[in-house]
Amino acid sequence: MLPGALKYGVGLSSQQTAAPQTAAPQSAAVSEQGTESRQNPAGQNQQASPQNQQAPSETNQKPPTEQPPVTSPQNPPPSAQLPEPPIKNPEARPAPKPFVAPPTLTIPRLTHAPALEDFLEMQPKGETALQMAKVSGFVQRTPHDGETVSEETEAYLGYDQKNLYLVFVCFDDPAKVRARMSRREDIYDDDQVAVLFDTFHDRRRAYEFQTTALGVQWDAIYTEATRAEVGGNWDTSFDTVWDSRGKVTSHGFVVWMAIPFKSLRFPATKQQEWGIILYRGIIRKNEDSFWPHVSRKVEGRLGQAATLYGLEGISPGRDIELIPYGVMRSFRSLDTVDPYNPFFQKAAVQGQPGMDAKFVIRDHFVLDMTANPDFSQVESEDPQITVNQRFEVYFPEKRPFFLENEDYFRTPIDLFFTRNIQDPSAGIRLTGKEGPYSVGVMSTDDRAPGLAVPNFCPATSLNCSDSLTGIRSYFTIARVSRDIFKQSSVGAVYTDWECPTTGEYNRTGGLDTRLKFNANWTVEAQAVVSSSNLLGLHSSNLQSTCEYNLFPFSSGNAGKGNYYAGPADKVEVRRNGLHFNYIGTYQDVSPGFVTVPGFVNRVDIRGLYNTIYYRFRPKKGWILSWGPSMLQRYVFDHEGNRLDTNYDPYVRIEGRGQTFIWLDPYEELRERLRPQDFAFLGLSENKNQDYHEHISSVRAQTGYLRKVTVGGSYSWGDGVNFVPAAHSQPQGLLSRSNTADGTLTFRPVKPLKIENTYLFERLRATNNEYLLALAQTPGVLIGKGILNNHIVRSKWNWQFTPQLSLRVILQYNSILANTPGNTLYPYTYLPTQKQFNADFLVTYLVHPGTAIYVGYNSDLQNLDHSLMLDPAGLAGLYTPKGYINDSRQFFVKVSYLFRF
């Protein structure tokens, strides 16, 4: 044993030796709490196929020489008789299993920083490397929970006054190691190693640092509580400064990490006690391994973490971060704020300065401020089908200021959806933890209400109000939570939205809790109430209301004039295990409940939702796991009317080679629309209408080939037309629906990654609806087409160096409405729309905060020339196919991180 391992060795309890796992991604599309999705959530790793298990070699032993049998008068002979069974004592109880505490690890203080080169021979060389604490004995979580990691893995740890150092030595066939040059945080196709630090040792929240075999970085905040806002348990918006290097060797690969204490928050004590988990992911085998063992049989991860000792006399120090930035741009864009008076605005050169600042208070509180933030470098939205959606579609936040430390504000009901803050000019946020208390406060303004209305109204305008030009609204959220018991918590939250100019407001407050009862069962619950004065629902001209650009209402909302008030409650029970998983949710949202800062897209409901699934996990063969699932939903309104019922049984299969298959042969859905629901669709109806739908679908994806990942899905059945024409009859809205999607990710050479996506939706009239239309237009062929929606996206990223990259995104989106030539009886009010967008971005990223961005984007649409009433020179801007360039921009952004 090495001297470092002997002196500072790992204190293992029983047979604890685990292995790390990829922080954000998970091999089965199952979240940390057991949530299952038939699509891999964005930001989760699509782990490779499980390890090919080889049967143990058998030695051919020579059988012993046969002896002639000896006859015995007893039949059967005594040697053939089974022993008498022991007499059972009904009062006896089996001995309890001994408690196995998580292991401990003590790491040494180093006099010098270790180097990657000290480990390239797959063992430590030199005085400093030999001093480091050694960890081995990684254990699989997937595909075979509890088995030893298939490829030998070692980790070495130490620290000095400024940094904590880790070196992973990973043995493998170098020809099979997946390691490609890619941009920061694009690591999901490669082999990975990671470390999680639970710096407050509260078993609730941890920092995760992860790299590929070439040292490409990924970092995140991991929380035990899962949320849809971040696609699971990982908040990948966390970006901080740390160093990593990696190299593939003749026996595998070696990764070196240096994590500054300035990049972490931890208690201000002389001797630290942290939780720690180490991870290795082998993509081609769908294998996730940890030290210590992080089992799927137990809910969560941090409760299974080892305890890290040895850190003494460390501090983040006086950490002040200033990130000034400047943007220069040239643009030309079509202003359609007043749709009856569109015009082009442009600037040859326009400059914009801004500043982000961070101050660390007492080591574990952080004050963040931003002035005039700019998000021009933020990537465009991932494509989603938004046509024919009854309720608002969720798009995740991507702006760094709002994402960092957002887990301090997360609750079971999404009360602070920061995308509703559309155009802030300044913001401030305080987050941190003191003892068992966690605190978060954020406040910001929003210029969007004043930008959503025109700054002047010409006499020719038919619908224009400029009285609110330049006004602002203000958002505030405050949350406090207290740790109770081992991994439980209680908390309180308050949100406030104010628009002083119009006197409108929305205030929400309440209590929440997360209770962990044992290794498998957890409960999350929240009860809140809102009080609002909002004009939008009853205003004849929405442009005269401050929330015009948000419009936070759904068809279930009801109030007294402009005043809305009511409670909302949610209780969620989860059971997470290796085989059996369950999620049960009850949600009650009153008609008067409104949240302007949050995301609650349906009210006046009492809903019961159940998800149950069982997974068989074979030890041999191509299939790694498979099993049945059932989704069920009952939704009623507060008058007792049944609104929705849904039954969806399906089978999920995970196979080797990153292969996943979902078979959904028969889903039954019943939807009931009320008169107020039809009013939201623009129809007049005085009675309820039921729609009985049946849907079937299949989905598959695989990453078996080293350079290609491919996936696709197709569904067919019934669907309701939620975008009907004004003359449509409610009984004719049930239509035939088809949806499909396909993905193809290709790496022709290591630095280049090409991601292609295709989404398709088709809605066609049923025979009954078609015959109803023919009866009103005799002798006219109107067809059955309601709409076809096509989205095609191709994203190319070339990583020249770890810092320098080129990204190109090309996207085409079309809505082909009605049957061509059908103008007498259209099925939908939607016009035919076509849009093409091109986005080019060159990035030189030294580290988070210090970067140069040079970008260009352009947008084409088939805008109708007859709507362009302003004589701003629109003639001649159409392409031969009738497109118009409604927006283009060239920009350069430079930012620099000053760290004191």
Side-chain angles (χ1 to χ4, degrees):
M1 179 178 290
L2 298 174
L6 179 62
K7 182 177 179 181
Y8 303 101
V10 180
L12 295 177
S13 306
S14 192
Q15 298 178 349
Q16 293 276 350
T17 56
Q21 167 170 3
T22 353
Q26 301 186 50
S27 52
V30 179
S31 80
E32 204 51 40
Q33 306 299 328
T35 302
E36 178 170 296
S37 168
R38 276 171 282 172
Q39 299 184 14
N40 266 352
Q44 291 195 345
N45 189 1
Q46 302 172 1
Q47 298 287 354
S49 72
Q51 163 187 5
N52 292 320
Q53 299 290 329
Q54 295 183 354
S57 58
E58 297 181 359
T59 34
N60 295 322
Q61 298 180 354
K62 185 178 180 179
T65 305
E66 294 184 4
Q67 300 293 333
V70 179
T71 59
S72 169
Q74 185 173 349
N75 187 23
S79 60
Q81 294 182 5
L82 295 175
E84 296 246 358
I87 299 176
K88 294 183 178 181
N89 182 355
E91 298 182 357
R93 295 289 184 270
K97 295 182 179 180
F99 172 73
V100 179
T104 62
L105 171 64
T106 302
I107 65 173
R109 181 185 284 267
L110 307 175
T111 55
H112 301 286
L116 176 70
E117 290 71 21
D118 297 338
F119 294 85
L120 292 182
E121 296 182 12
M122 309 302 284
Q123 58 182 345
K125 298 290 185 181
E127 180 181 356
T128 299
L130 291 172
Q131 290 177 355
M132 301 178 73
K134 177 184 176 180
V135 176
S136 59
F138 285 65
V139 178
Q140 291 184 38
R141 174 183 171 93
T142 55
H144 304 302
D145 196 328
E147 293 189 5
T148 303
V149 61
S150 64
E151 304 292 345
E152 184 181 354
T153 306
E154 298 171 352
Y156 297 84
L157 297 90
Y159 74 100
D160 59 21
Q161 189 63 34
K162 294 184 177 180
N163 301 303
L164 197 154
Y165 301 99
L166 296 95
V167 178
F168 287 88
V169 177
C170 302
F171 292 85
D172 204 345
D173 181 350
K176 297 180 180 179
V177 172
R178 296 198 178 182
R180 290 159 284 205
M181 184 62 65
S182 58
R183 62 182 176 86
R184 193 179 194 274
E185 301 196 340
D186 183 12
I187 67 170
Y188 305 122
D189 298 330
D190 295 338
D191 292 347
Q192 307 142 21
V193 294
V195 60
L196 284 87
F197 290 123
D198 178 4
T199 56
F200 288 91
H201 209 198
D202 58 10
R203 301 174 181 87
R204 293 164 176 82
R205 185 177 189 268
Y207 298 93
E208 181 153 9
F209 300 91
Q210 187 166 322
T211 80
T212 68
L214 296 182
V216 178
Q217 296 182 354
W218 181 96
D219 45 21
I221 297 293
Y222 170 86
T223 56
E224 289 289 285
T226 184
R227 292 288 180 270
E229 303 95 284
V230 296
N233 301 78
W234 287 270
D235 176 6
T236 58
S237 64
F238 170 74
D239 289 319
T240 192
V241 178
W242 54 292
D243 294 321
S244 62
R245 296 175 59 198
K247 186 175 179 63
V248 178
T249 70
S250 58
H251 298 285
F253 65 91
V254 178
V255 168
W256 171 92
M257 299 183 189
I259 302 170
F261 293 118
K262 275 192 174 186
S263 297
L264 304 173
R265 305 290 167 254
F266 47 84
T269 58
K270 182 178 180 180
Q271 295 183 339
Q272 300 288 320
E273 181 180 317
W274 296 359
I276 184 173
I277 296 176
L278 304 175
Y279 163 79
R280 180 182 180 184
I282 305 175
I283 288 294
R284 71 180 186 278
K285 298 181 178 182
N286 281 34
E287 184 175 319
D288 295 321
S289 299
F290 294 85
W291 183 91
H293 181 204
V294 178
S295 174
R296 281 191 176 273
K297 298 177 182 178
V298 178
E299 186 272 340
R301 300 191 180 190
L302 299 182
Q304 305 179 67
T307 302
L308 179 67
Y309 296 105
L311 295 171
E312 298 183 0
I314 62 170
S315 169
R318 185 184 61 187
D319 189 4
I320 300 176
E321 297 182 5
L322 302 177
I323 308 178
Y325 78 85
V327 176
M328 297 292 293
R329 68 170 185 155
S330 172
F331 75 96
R332 182 175 186 269
S333 64
L334 184 64
D335 188 324
T336 57
V337 172
D338 178 3
Y340 293 92
N341 183 40
F343 65 95
F344 277 98
Q345 54 179 339
K346 61 181 180 180
V349 178
Q350 185 181 73
Q352 175 180 317
M355 169 79 77
D356 292 335
K358 184 187 299 289
F359 303 91
V360 176
I361 304 170
R362 297 182 58 196
D363 289 351
H364 45 274
F365 281 91
V366 181
L367 180 66
D368 292 285
M369 294 183 287
T370 185
N372 207 21
D374 173 79
F375 308 111
S376 56
Q377 79 282 4
V378 173
E379 185 174 315
S380 62
E381 305 288 1
D382 293 327
Q384 292 191 58
I385 290 179
T386 60
V387 178
N388 199 45
Q389 302 298 315
R390 182 179 176 188
F391 304 107
E392 183 182 359
V393 177
Y394 184 92
F395 283 93
E397 176 66 88
K398 293 192 174 186
R399 296 170 295 179
F401 176 78
F402 294 112
L403 283 169
E404 186 175 356
N405 288 338
E406 63 82 32
D407 58 290
Y408 280 92
F409 306 98
R410 246 186 268 153
T411 60
I413 301 174
D414 190 353
L415 296 178
F416 196 54
F417 179 51
T418 52
R419 285 196 62 138
N420 288 336
I421 307 171
Q422 299 180 11
D423 194 354
S425 64
I428 185 169
R429 176 182 60 230
L430 175 68
T431 53
K433 184 166 187 175
E434 178 69 49
Y437 291 95
S438 299
V439 177
V441 180
M442 180 190 292
S443 184
T444 181
D445 72 338
D446 188 7
R447 295 173 288 195
L451 298 175
V453 296
N455 55 15
F456 71 96
C457 290
T460 57
S461 180
L462 302 179
N463 182 16
C464 181
S465 173
D466 56 9
S467 61
L468 301 184
T469 297
I471 70 168
R472 303 183 185 208
S473 63
Y474 300 89
F475 291 80
T476 300
I477 180 172
R479 173 161 164 76
V480 61
S481 65
R482 191 192 192 282
D483 300 339
I484 59 173
F485 310 125
K486 188 175 181 180
Q487 282 187 280
S488 302
S489 63
V490 294
V493 64
Y494 174 77
T495 69
D496 179 64
W497 175 83
E498 303 279 346
C499 188
T501 303
T502 62
E504 295 173 274
Y505 63 83
N506 171 244
R507 298 160 189 158
T508 304
L511 304 175
D512 62 89
T513 185
R514 182 178 191 269
L515 302 174
K516 184 168 183 177
F517 293 106
N518 55 34
N520 302 103
W521 288 92
T522 60
V523 171
E524 293 186 16
Q526 186 172 16
V528 297
V529 63
S530 74
S531 174
S532 312
N533 178 51
L534 301 171
L535 307 178
L537 194 60
H538 294 282
S539 176
S540 59
N541 181 3
L542 289 177
Q543 286 192 334
S544 65
T545 68
C546 196
E547 80 279 4
Y548 159 68
N549 60 310
L550 297 173
F551 199 72
F553 302 103
S554 69
S555 60
N557 277 117
K560 296 180 179 180
N562 298 325
Y563 182 71
Y564 300 82
D569 311 294
K570 182 177 181 180
V571 179
E572 185 169 271
V573 179
R574 291 174 176 263
R575 199 276 181 189
N576 189 41
L578 180 63
H579 299 288
F580 174 72
N581 294 266
Y582 170 75
I583 307 168
T585 304
Y586 174 76
Q587 189 166 17
D588 188 330
V589 185
S590 65
F593 181 82
V594 179
T595 170
V596 175
F599 186 87
V600 177
N601 61 358
R602 191 177 187 185
V603 302
D604 189 18
I605 58 170
R606 289 186 172 125
L608 180 64
Y609 313 84
N610 290 289
T611 301
I612 183 170
Y613 57 97
Y614 190 91
R615 291 292 173 265
F616 300 94
R617 301 184 183 276
K619 294 294 184 180
K620 297 181 180 179
W622 178 82
I623 295 178
L624 300 177
S625 71
W626 71 277
S629 303
M630 168 63 84
L631 307 180
Q632 171 271 327
R633 180 177 85 215
Y634 296 112
V635 180
F636 294 81
D637 67 12
H638 283 75
E639 295 180 354
N641 297 307
R642 188 269 300 159
L643 300 181
D644 302 338
T645 62
N646 184 213
Y647 304 94
D648 184 10
Y650 65 94
V651 175
R652 181 183 183 276
I653 303 169
E654 178 185 357
R656 300 182 186 276
Q658 296 175 273
T659 302
F660 302 90
I661 300 171
W662 292 263
L663 302 174
D664 194 341
Y666 185 84
E667 176 183 358
E668 184 178 35
L669 171 64
R670 292 180 182 269
E671 293 183 274
R672 175 174 292 167
L673 270 62
R674 301 160 297 176
Q676 60 264 43
D677 300 318
F678 287 113
F680 248 61
L681 302 182
L683 301 181
S684 178
E685 177 66 21
N686 58 9
K687 62 181 180 179
N688 297 339
Q689 179 72 43
D690 276 359
Y691 300 97
H692 191 187
E693 305 161 46
H694 301 92
I695 305 166
S696 301
S697 65
V698 61
R699 180 177 183 83
Q701 67 180 46
T702 182
Y704 182 81
L705 299 177
R706 186 183 182 93
K707 294 186 176 183
V708 178
T709 300
V710 62
S713 71
Y714 181 71
S715 70
W716 63 98
D718 305 310
V720 177
N721 177 10
F722 291 117
V723 287
H727 58 74
S728 298
Q729 300 299 312
Q731 63 271 23
L733 298 187
L734 186 63
S735 308
R736 297 294 297 171
S737 174
N738 302 85
T739 62
D741 70 74
T743 59
L744 174 63
T745 301
F746 183 45
R747 284 186 177 269
V749 292
K750 284 190 174 182
L752 177 61
K753 183 177 183 180
I754 306 172
E755 301 172 85
N756 301 295
T757 304
Y758 173 66
L759 304 179
F760 168 72
E761 179 184 25
R762 180 173 63 187
L763 206 63
R764 292 174 58 82
T766 62
N767 284 333
N768 290 338
E769 185 179 4
Y770 176 63
L771 293 176
L772 180 64
L774 283 181
Q776 300 187 38
T777 56
V780 179
L781 297 177
I782 60 175
K784 294 184 178 182
I786 299 176
L787 63 85
N788 289 322
N789 185 198
H790 302 268
I791 301 176
V792 183
R793 187 176 196 251
S794 185
K795 176 182 172 183
W796 298 54
N797 192 89
W798 190 291
Q799 198 72 31
F800 300 99
T801 69
Q803 296 79 29
L804 181 63
S805 66
L806 168 64
R807 187 196 73 198
V808 177
I809 300 176
L810 306 175
Q811 181 166 319
Y812 173 77
N813 188 349
S814 69
I815 301 173
L816 308 179
N818 298 300
T819 301
N822 175 14
T823 59
L824 295 177
Y825 192 91
Y827 297 104
T828 176
Y829 69 83
L830 293 176
T832 292
Q833 304 171 54
K834 300 178 183 179
Q835 182 180 21
F836 177 77
N837 182 269
D839 189 346
F840 304 86
L841 182 67
V842 177
T843 301
Y844 187 79
L845 178 65
V846 179
H847 51 68
T850 299
I852 300 174
Y853 303 95
V854 180
Y856 175 79
N857 51 65
S858 178
D859 188 76
L860 302 175
Q861 292 195 62
N862 65 324
L863 298 178
D864 189 341
H865 183 269
S866 64
L867 296 179
M868 306 303 178
L869 305 179
D870 186 80
L874 295 175
L877 293 179
Y878 287 98
T879 66
K881 293 186 178 181
Y883 288 90
I884 188 171
N885 190 318
D886 65 322
S887 175
R888 61 175 179 262
Q889 173 184 239
F890 174 81
F891 69 90
V892 178
K893 178 178 179 180
V894 180
S895 65
Y896 190 86
L897 169 62
F898 294 93
R899 205 173 199 189
F900 306 100

